[in-house]
Amino acid sequence: MLTDLFRAVDAGTAVEIAYVKPDGAESARVIEPAELVATSIGHITVRAFDRLRGEDRTFRVDRIIGHRLVEVG
């Protein structure tokens, strides 16, 4: 998954993710990753534009339970 996220950052493409929110609820999102960051407590996060919310959001990679690259065109 990390490889696909890095590729999406480099290529400027979107990724559809299945994400588990902190309350345990699952959510489907299409994101446009901008960068991956390691936090000071050891989590890896992806900062991305969230098409559903229409704004930049940060997602913990360990909460992404599924993903697929979104085809352009």
Side-chain angles (χ1 to χ4, degrees):
M1 177 179 25
L2 286 175
T3 301
D4 286 341
L5 291 172
F6 277 113
R7 286 182 182 150
V9 169
D10 287 342
T13 58
V15 180
E16 182 177 0
I17 62 170
Y19 188 76
V20 178
K21 298 186 224 177
D23 67 2
E26 291 185 19
S27 171
R29 305 289 178 97
V30 176
I31 61 172
E32 299 171 19
E35 69 177 341
L36 279 87
V37 177
T39 68
S40 61
I41 59 171
H43 296 294
I44 298 173
T45 62
V46 57
R47 188 178 57 79
F49 180 77
D50 179 353
R51 290 185 180 174
L52 178 66
R53 300 289 182 215
E55 62 188 28
D56 286 336
R57 294 283 175 108
T58 300
F59 300 91
R60 275 185 30 191
V61 170
D62 64 316
R63 290 193 176 148
I64 297 174
I65 57 173
H67 77 286
R68 74 174 182 88
L69 299 176
V70 176
E71 296 296 323
V72 176

